Amino acid sequence: MVSGMSQSHPRISKAVIPAAGLGTRFLPATKATPKEMLPVVDKPAIQYVVEEAVSAGLDDVLMVTGRNKRPLEDHFDRNYELESALQKKGDAGRLAKVQESSDLATMHYVRQGDPKGLGHAVLCAAPHVGHEPFAVLLGDDLIDPRDPLLQRMIDVQQQHGGSVIALMEVAPEQIHLYGSAAVEATADSDVVKIGGLVEKPAPEDAPSNYAIIGRYVLDPAVFDILRKTEPGRGGEIQLTDALQQLVADEKVGGPVHGVVFKGRRYDTGDRGDYLRAIVRLACEREDLGPDFRTWLHRYVTEEMQQR
Ligand code: G1P
Protein backbone atom coordinates (compact mmCIF):
# COMPACT_ATOMS: atom_id res chain seq x y z
CA MET A 1 0.00 0.00 0.00
CA VAL A 2 1.36 3.46 -0.79
CA SER A 3 2.41 5.53 2.17
CA GLY A 4 0.07 8.35 1.14
CA MET A 5 -2.77 6.17 2.49
CA SER A 6 -1.34 6.46 5.96
CA GLN A 7 -2.04 10.14 6.48
CA SER A 8 -5.41 9.66 8.15
CA HIS A 9 -3.95 7.69 11.08
CA PRO A 10 -2.00 9.49 13.81
CA ARG A 11 1.74 8.90 13.81
CA ILE A 12 3.02 6.46 16.41
CA SER A 13 5.81 7.79 18.59
CA LYS A 14 5.50 6.09 21.97
CA ALA A 15 6.73 2.69 23.08
CA VAL A 16 5.74 1.00 26.32
CA ILE A 17 7.99 -1.68 27.79
CA PRO A 18 6.56 -3.67 30.71
CA ALA A 19 9.52 -4.57 32.96
CA ALA A 20 8.10 -5.27 36.40
CA GLY A 21 8.37 -9.09 36.30
CA LEU A 22 10.34 -10.93 38.98
CA GLY A 23 12.43 -13.09 36.67
CA THR A 24 12.07 -16.19 38.82
CA ARG A 25 13.26 -18.47 35.99
CA PHE A 26 16.74 -16.97 36.38
CA LEU A 27 17.16 -17.20 40.14
CA PRO A 28 19.55 -16.77 41.82
CA ALA A 29 20.97 -14.38 39.16
CA THR A 30 17.85 -12.23 39.45
CA LYS A 31 17.73 -12.08 43.25
CA ALA A 32 19.25 -8.57 43.34
CA THR A 33 19.49 -7.77 39.60
CA PRO A 34 16.52 -7.19 37.30
CA LYS A 35 16.22 -9.94 34.69
CA GLU A 36 16.15 -7.22 32.01
CA MET A 37 19.75 -6.36 32.94
CA LEU A 38 21.16 -9.83 32.21
CA PRO A 39 23.77 -9.42 29.46
CA VAL A 40 23.25 -10.79 25.99
CA VAL A 41 26.91 -10.83 24.89
CA ASP A 42 27.89 -7.44 26.36
CA LYS A 43 24.66 -5.46 26.38
CA PRO A 44 21.77 -5.88 28.80
CA ALA A 45 18.78 -7.59 27.17
CA ILE A 46 16.63 -4.49 27.70
CA GLN A 47 18.95 -2.31 25.62
CA TYR A 48 18.25 -4.42 22.51
CA VAL A 49 14.53 -3.83 23.08
CA VAL A 50 14.91 -0.05 23.47
CA GLU A 51 17.15 0.00 20.36
CA GLU A 52 14.46 -1.87 18.45
CA ALA A 53 11.84 0.72 19.43
CA VAL A 54 14.16 3.56 18.41
CA SER A 55 14.98 2.01 15.05
CA ALA A 56 11.24 1.79 14.33
CA GLY A 57 11.04 5.55 14.95
CA LEU A 58 9.72 5.42 18.53
CA ASP A 59 12.00 7.57 20.64
CA ASP A 60 9.62 8.17 23.54
CA VAL A 61 9.94 5.09 25.73
CA LEU A 62 7.95 4.41 28.89
CA MET A 63 9.15 1.58 31.08
CA VAL A 64 6.67 0.05 33.49
CA THR A 65 8.88 -1.02 36.37
CA GLY A 66 8.50 -2.13 39.96
CA ARG A 67 10.50 -2.49 43.13
CA ASN A 68 14.18 -3.45 42.72
CA LYS A 69 14.31 -2.11 39.16
CA ARG A 70 16.50 0.94 39.81
CA PRO A 71 19.40 -0.47 37.71
CA LEU A 72 17.16 -0.08 34.63
CA GLU A 73 16.83 3.65 35.24
CA ASP A 74 20.54 3.97 35.95
CA HIS A 75 21.45 2.14 32.75
CA PHE A 76 19.61 4.61 30.55
CA ASP A 77 20.89 7.62 32.54
CA ARG A 78 24.28 9.39 32.49
CA ASN A 79 27.07 8.02 34.68
CA TYR A 80 29.34 11.04 35.10
CA GLU A 81 31.85 9.31 37.36
CA LEU A 82 32.47 6.51 34.88
CA GLU A 83 32.41 8.89 31.94
CA SER A 84 35.04 11.21 33.43
CA ALA A 85 37.25 8.25 34.44
CA LEU A 86 37.16 6.96 30.85
CA GLN A 87 37.71 10.48 29.51
CA LYS A 88 40.82 10.89 31.67
CA LYS A 89 42.15 7.59 30.36
CA GLY A 90 41.44 8.68 26.80
CA ASP A 91 39.33 5.54 26.25
CA ALA A 92 36.98 6.96 23.62
CA GLY A 93 35.65 3.54 22.55
CA ARG A 94 34.36 2.58 25.98
CA LEU A 95 33.17 6.12 26.66
CA ALA A 96 30.98 5.90 23.56
CA LYS A 97 29.56 2.58 24.80
CA VAL A 98 28.69 4.13 28.17
CA GLN A 99 27.03 7.14 26.55
CA GLU A 100 25.13 5.13 23.93
CA SER A 101 22.39 3.94 26.27
CA SER A 102 21.74 7.36 27.81
CA ASP A 103 21.53 9.03 24.39
CA LEU A 104 19.19 6.45 22.84
CA ALA A 105 15.70 7.70 23.63
CA THR A 106 13.66 9.92 25.91
CA MET A 107 13.02 7.57 28.80
CA HIS A 108 10.08 7.69 31.19
CA TYR A 109 9.25 5.39 34.08
CA VAL A 110 6.12 4.45 35.92
CA ARG A 111 5.79 1.86 38.67
CA GLN A 112 3.27 -0.91 38.48
CA GLY A 113 2.93 -1.30 42.26
CA ASP A 114 0.92 -4.51 42.38
CA PRO A 115 1.92 -7.22 39.89
CA LYS A 116 -1.57 -7.79 38.52
CA GLY A 117 -0.55 -8.99 35.07
CA LEU A 118 0.47 -7.74 31.63
CA GLY A 119 -2.88 -6.04 31.00
CA HIS A 120 -2.50 -4.11 34.24
CA ALA A 121 1.09 -3.14 33.34
CA VAL A 122 -0.13 -1.73 30.01
CA LEU A 123 -2.92 0.14 31.80
CA CYS A 124 -0.28 1.87 33.97
CA ALA A 125 0.90 3.53 30.73
CA ALA A 126 -2.48 5.20 30.05
CA PRO A 127 -1.71 8.66 31.53
CA HIS A 128 1.56 8.86 29.58
CA VAL A 129 0.22 7.55 26.27
CA GLY A 130 -2.99 9.57 26.13
CA HIS A 131 -5.13 9.16 23.02
CA GLU A 132 -2.60 8.03 20.41
CA PRO A 133 -1.89 4.53 19.13
CA PHE A 134 1.26 3.17 20.78
CA ALA A 135 3.57 0.16 20.71
CA VAL A 136 4.17 -2.41 23.45
CA LEU A 137 7.42 -4.41 23.47
CA LEU A 138 7.87 -7.28 25.92
CA GLY A 139 11.40 -7.46 27.24
CA ASP A 140 11.63 -11.26 27.19
CA ASP A 141 11.26 -11.36 23.41
CA LEU A 142 14.37 -10.36 21.55
CA ILE A 143 13.83 -9.78 17.84
CA ASP A 144 16.97 -9.93 15.72
CA PRO A 145 17.74 -6.38 14.56
CA ARG A 146 18.15 -7.65 10.99
CA ASP A 147 14.51 -8.81 10.86
CA PRO A 148 12.56 -5.60 11.47
CA LEU A 149 9.15 -6.62 12.76
CA LEU A 150 7.95 -3.52 14.59
CA GLN A 151 8.38 -1.26 11.57
CA ARG A 152 6.24 -3.61 9.50
CA MET A 153 3.58 -3.65 12.24
CA ILE A 154 3.53 0.15 12.33
CA ASP A 155 3.12 0.26 8.53
CA VAL A 156 0.20 -2.20 8.76
CA GLN A 157 -1.41 -0.11 11.53
CA GLN A 158 -1.03 3.05 9.45
CA GLN A 159 -2.69 1.26 6.55
CA HIS A 160 -5.64 -0.38 8.38
CA GLY A 161 -5.94 1.62 11.62
CA GLY A 162 -6.97 -0.27 14.77
CA SER A 163 -4.43 -2.55 16.43
CA VAL A 164 -1.75 -4.94 15.19
CA ILE A 165 -0.21 -7.90 17.01
CA ALA A 166 2.84 -9.99 16.12
CA LEU A 167 2.30 -13.69 15.46
CA MET A 168 4.60 -16.62 14.93
CA GLU A 169 3.73 -20.19 14.04
CA VAL A 170 4.76 -22.59 16.79
CA ALA A 171 4.56 -26.36 17.26
CA PRO A 172 1.12 -27.47 18.57
CA GLU A 173 2.67 -28.63 21.86
CA GLN A 174 4.06 -25.13 22.44
CA ILE A 175 0.86 -23.12 21.99
CA HIS A 176 -0.15 -23.40 25.68
CA LEU A 177 2.76 -21.03 26.47
CA TYR A 178 1.29 -18.19 24.39
CA GLY A 179 -1.81 -16.30 23.40
CA SER A 180 -3.30 -18.04 20.36
CA ALA A 181 -5.12 -16.33 17.47
CA ALA A 182 -7.87 -17.33 15.02
CA VAL A 183 -6.81 -15.80 11.72
CA GLU A 184 -8.11 -15.04 8.23
CA ALA A 185 -5.85 -14.36 5.24
CA THR A 186 -5.66 -10.86 3.71
CA ALA A 187 -4.27 -9.60 0.40
CA ASP A 188 -0.81 -9.30 2.01
CA SER A 189 0.81 -12.68 2.58
CA ASP A 190 2.34 -11.66 5.93
CA VAL A 191 -0.81 -9.98 7.28
CA VAL A 192 -3.87 -11.72 8.75
CA LYS A 193 -7.12 -10.44 10.19
CA ILE A 194 -7.69 -11.60 13.76
CA GLY A 195 -10.99 -13.35 14.40
CA GLY A 196 -10.44 -14.32 18.04
CA LEU A 197 -7.80 -14.65 20.76
CA VAL A 198 -7.31 -17.06 23.67
CA GLU A 199 -4.63 -16.71 26.33
CA LYS A 200 -2.51 -19.84 26.86
CA PRO A 201 -5.05 -22.43 25.70
CA ALA A 202 -4.77 -26.19 26.07
CA PRO A 203 -3.69 -27.57 22.65
CA GLU A 204 -7.20 -28.91 21.96
CA ASP A 205 -8.77 -25.48 22.62
CA ALA A 206 -6.25 -23.44 20.60
CA PRO A 207 -7.84 -21.71 17.59
CA SER A 208 -4.56 -22.13 15.65
CA ASN A 209 -0.81 -22.56 16.02
CA TYR A 210 -0.32 -18.83 15.57
CA ALA A 211 1.21 -17.59 18.83
CA ILE A 212 1.26 -13.98 19.96
CA ILE A 213 4.84 -12.84 20.37
CA GLY A 214 5.71 -9.83 22.45
CA ARG A 215 5.12 -6.94 20.04
CA TYR A 216 1.87 -4.99 19.82
CA VAL A 217 0.72 -1.76 18.20
CA LEU A 218 -2.44 -0.79 20.04
CA ASP A 219 -5.31 1.58 19.66
CA PRO A 220 -5.76 3.63 22.87
CA ALA A 221 -9.32 2.23 23.15
CA VAL A 222 -7.61 -0.73 24.82
CA PHE A 223 -7.20 1.33 28.03
CA ASP A 224 -10.94 1.65 28.66
CA ILE A 225 -11.33 -2.06 28.04
CA LEU A 226 -8.46 -2.90 30.40
CA ARG A 227 -10.10 -0.84 33.15
CA LYS A 228 -13.05 -3.23 32.95
CA THR A 229 -11.15 -6.47 32.28
CA GLU A 230 -11.52 -9.01 35.09
CA PRO A 231 -8.55 -11.17 36.08
CA GLY A 232 -8.29 -14.10 33.67
CA ARG A 233 -5.73 -16.87 33.26
CA GLY A 234 -3.47 -17.19 36.33
CA GLY A 235 -5.64 -14.66 38.20
CA GLU A 236 -3.99 -11.85 36.21
CA ILE A 237 -5.44 -9.06 34.08
CA GLN A 238 -4.55 -10.35 30.63
CA LEU A 239 -3.77 -8.10 27.66
CA THR A 240 -4.98 -10.93 25.39
CA ASP A 241 -8.46 -10.79 27.01
CA ALA A 242 -8.69 -7.03 26.39
CA LEU A 243 -7.59 -7.54 22.75
CA GLN A 244 -10.29 -10.18 22.38
CA GLN A 245 -12.80 -7.46 23.32
CA LEU A 246 -11.39 -5.23 20.57
CA VAL A 247 -11.75 -8.13 18.12
CA ALA A 248 -15.34 -8.77 19.25
CA ASP A 249 -16.45 -5.17 18.64
CA GLU A 250 -14.56 -3.36 15.87
CA LYS A 251 -16.57 -0.19 16.49
CA VAL A 252 -14.66 0.38 19.75
CA GLY A 253 -11.06 0.56 18.50
CA GLY A 254 -11.00 -0.55 14.87
CA PRO A 255 -9.92 -3.93 13.49
CA VAL A 256 -7.14 -6.13 14.88
CA HIS A 257 -4.59 -7.46 12.40
CA GLY A 258 -1.62 -9.75 12.86
CA VAL A 259 1.79 -9.62 11.20
CA VAL A 260 3.18 -13.12 10.77
CA PHE A 261 6.85 -13.02 11.70
CA LYS A 262 9.25 -15.49 10.09
CA GLY A 263 12.49 -13.96 11.32
CA ARG A 264 14.79 -14.66 14.25
CA ARG A 265 13.31 -14.34 17.74
CA TYR A 266 14.84 -15.35 21.05
CA ASP A 267 12.91 -15.77 24.28
CA THR A 268 15.48 -14.44 26.72
CA GLY A 269 13.12 -15.33 29.58
CA ASP A 270 13.90 -18.99 28.87
CA ARG A 271 17.34 -20.19 29.93
CA GLY A 272 17.96 -22.42 26.92
CA ASP A 273 16.87 -19.77 24.43
CA TYR A 274 18.86 -17.14 26.32
CA LEU A 275 22.03 -19.22 25.86
CA ARG A 276 21.23 -19.78 22.19
CA ALA A 277 20.74 -16.03 21.69
CA ILE A 278 24.15 -15.30 23.20
CA VAL A 279 25.94 -17.91 21.10
CA ARG A 280 24.25 -16.80 17.90
CA LEU A 281 24.77 -13.08 18.40
CA ALA A 282 28.36 -13.61 19.56
CA CYS A 283 29.13 -15.68 16.44
CA GLU A 284 27.84 -12.88 14.26
CA ARG A 285 29.77 -10.09 15.95
CA GLU A 286 32.63 -8.65 13.90
CA ASP A 287 34.89 -8.19 16.93
CA LEU A 288 34.21 -11.41 18.83
CA GLY A 289 32.80 -13.66 16.11
CA PRO A 290 35.89 -15.00 14.30
CA ASP A 291 37.66 -16.27 17.46
CA PHE A 292 34.47 -17.42 19.10
CA ARG A 293 33.32 -19.39 16.04
CA THR A 294 36.67 -21.16 15.79
CA TRP A 295 36.50 -22.12 19.46
CA LEU A 296 32.86 -23.18 19.21
CA HIS A 297 33.53 -25.37 16.19
CA ARG A 298 36.38 -27.12 17.99
CA TYR A 299 34.33 -27.52 21.15
CA VAL A 300 31.33 -29.01 19.35
CA THR A 301 33.55 -31.37 17.33
CA GLU A 302 35.20 -32.64 20.53
CA GLU A 303 31.82 -33.02 22.22
CA MET A 304 30.49 -35.10 19.28
CA GLN A 305 33.55 -37.34 19.31
CA GLN A 306 33.05 -38.11 22.99
CA ARG A 307 29.48 -39.34 22.45
C1 G1P B 1 2.65 -12.84 27.40
C2 G1P B 1 1.24 -12.77 26.79
C3 G1P B 1 1.03 -13.91 25.80
C4 G1P B 1 2.12 -13.87 24.75
C5 G1P B 1 3.53 -13.89 25.41
C6 G1P B 1 4.61 -13.67 24.36
O1 G1P B 1 2.75 -13.99 28.20
O2 G1P B 1 0.29 -12.83 27.84
O3 G1P B 1 -0.22 -13.78 25.17
O4 G1P B 1 1.97 -14.96 23.88
O5 G1P B 1 3.64 -12.86 26.39
O6 G1P B 1 5.88 -13.79 24.91
P1 G1P B 1 3.96 -14.25 29.25
O7 G1P B 1 5.03 -14.92 28.47
O8 G1P B 1 4.37 -12.91 29.77
O9 G1P B 1 3.38 -15.13 30.29
Side-chain angles (χ1 to χ4, degrees):
M1 191 68 62
V2 285
S3 57
M5 292 289 293
S6 63
Q7 298 313 315
S8 55
H9 299 294
R11 199 180 81 84
I12 300 167
S13 63
K14 290 179 183 163
V16 173
I17 304 181
L22 295 176
T24 47
R25 286 189 279 179
F26 277 89
L27 282 169
T30 48
K31 183 179 172 190
T33 303
K35 64 171 172 171
E36 294 81 5
M37 289 302 294
L38 294 180
V40 176
V41 189
D42 51 8
K43 259 193 300 197
I46 193 75
Q47 190 173 332
Y48 290 87
V49 180
V50 174
E51 284 172 356
E52 183 191 337
V54 171
S55 50
L58 316 177
D59 51 14
D60 178 310
V61 175
L62 174 74
M63 251 180 225
V64 185
T65 67
R67 283 173 291 281
N68 307 322
K69 298 285 184 168
R70 274 291 298 279
L72 289 176
E73 298 188 31
D74 291 341
H75 183 71
F76 293 100
D77 197 358
R78 303 293 298 266
N79 183 334
Y80 289 110
E81 208 181 347
L82 186 55
E83 287 176 48
S84 77
L86 290 167
Q87 226 145 21
K88 272 193 204 127
K89 280 202 216 166
D91 193 339
R94 292 204 172 92
L95 180 62
K97 281 188 181 173
V98 167
Q99 289 171 337
E100 207 177 273
S101 53
S102 52
D103 292 343
L104 256 180
T106 309
M107 303 297 298
H108 305 270
Y109 301 90
V110 61
R111 284 200 180 205
Q112 192 178 356
D114 296 318
K116 291 197 240 164
L118 178 59
H120 178 248
V122 171
L123 185 53
C124 293
H128 180 79
V129 168
H131 299 288
E132 307 156 26
F134 64 104
V136 175
L137 294 87
L138 304 190
D140 281 349
D141 283 292
L142 209 150
I143 303 294
D144 196 292
R146 291 160 299 175
D147 300 321
L149 167 63
L150 191 56
Q151 187 57 60
R152 176 70 183 135
M153 294 172 70
I154 290 171
D155 291 346
V156 171
Q157 196 281 341
Q158 298 282 287
Q159 185 184 335
H160 295 280
S163 300
V164 179
I165 60 178
L167 298 174
M168 201 164 184
E169 261 188 288
V170 299
E173 62 274 15
Q174 295 282 308
I175 197 71
H176 71 282
L177 300 169
Y178 299 93
S180 166
V183 302
E184 293 156 36
T186 70
D188 287 314
S189 63
D190 63 334
V191 179
V192 289
K193 176 105 192 277
I194 306 297
L197 293 164
V198 188
E199 178 67 4
K200 303 203 173 99
E204 60 275 19
D205 301 328
S208 76
N209 291 336
Y210 284 102
I212 306 175
I213 55 171
R215 299 293 179 272
Y216 309 79
V217 177
L218 299 177
D219 186 276
V222 76
F223 292 130
D224 266 345
I225 297 176
L226 281 168
R227 283 187 193 100
K228 293 180 223 136
T229 302
E230 297 288 333
R233 189 144 187 114
E236 297 188 336
I237 298 172
Q238 296 293 349
L239 181 59
T240 305
D241 294 345
L243 295 177
Q244 168 56 29
Q245 291 297 309
L246 285 178
V247 171
D249 188 357
E250 276 194 22
K251 289 195 293 294
V252 177
V256 182
H257 285 88
V259 168
V260 180
F261 183 61
K262 296 216 161 83
R264 289 155 280 196
R265 164 196 176 251
Y266 314 99
D267 175 5
T268 52
D270 174 82
R271 287 174 300 172
D273 234 13
Y274 170 75
L275 293 174
R276 283 186 275 278
I278 293 176
V279 170
R280 211 153 159 169
L281 293 172
C283 282
E284 289 158 7
R285 280 268 295 256
E286 271 178 31
D287 51 349
L288 300 165
D291 277 357
F292 186 66
R293 274 199 305 268
T294 309
W295 172 82
L296 186 63
H297 186 258
R298 203 179 322 125
Y299 174 73
V300 171
T301 314
E302 281 167 16
E303 273 283 295
M304 304 284 276
Q305 279 160 359
Q306 279 163 20
R307 274 158 205 228

